[in-house]
Amino acid sequence: EFLGVNKIITIDIHAPAVTGSVSAKTAFEDYEAGFTGINWFINNIKDKSEICIVSPDAGAIKRAKTFHANFEASGFKDQIGLAMMHKERKVANVVDSVTVIGDVKGKHCIIVDDMIDTAGTLCKAASELKDHGAKSVYAFATHGLFSGPAASRIRESVLDKIIVTDSVKHDN
């Protein structure tokens, strides 16, 4: 604001609370990018009735519901499932356990989140979905950070494919 900024535009902001850190003189717009990933799944998963959108935690349920609504807007109303993961942490940044809430048996699960950082939560969630009978597990995220052990965790995981936007530039 001091420099004359009067509008801030973000894409899938991780912490919406920061929008309150500016005065009313500055407009804050946050856009969701979920619609950008829909076409890949529409073109690559044959039976849409076998798709289940999965929120990796309670904080991402709104994003998962929006992704689900994007499928419905694309002509797949009442065909796509919705589930959620409940995760518990005993120590900060360490997921102790995850629980599946919803029916994922025989489904192509798509975990939808705003970002993938070290991929710890994502890989645990994918494993839990497979343990509950998921046919395949994909992930869609707006921001692919892929920090630290992310690459090795993903390689060793049960994830079939990860789709991300180009919001973060990677050299390889």
Side-chain angles (χ1 to χ4, degrees), residues 43-62:
N43 293 327
N44 289 282
I45 298 178
K46 194 177 228 175
D47 188 351
K48 306 308 179 267
S49 68
E50 293 181 350
I51 294 175
C52 184
I53 308 305
V54 179
S55 172
D57 55 38
I61 192 69
K62 182 178 181 234

Side-chain angles (χ1 to χ4, degrees), residues 55 58-67:
S55 172
I61 192 69
K62 182 178 181 234
R63 182 173 293 105
K65 283 182 174 181
T66 301
F67 198 78

Side-chain angles (χ1 to χ4, degrees), residues 134-160:
K135 189 181 287 188
S136 59
V137 181
Y138 300 92
F140 172 79
T142 304
H143 313 291
L145 305 179
F146 305 117
S147 304
S152 61
R153 284 179 175 166
I154 292 166
R155 270 192 302 276
E156 296 167 8
S157 77
V158 298
L159 284 158
D160 290 274

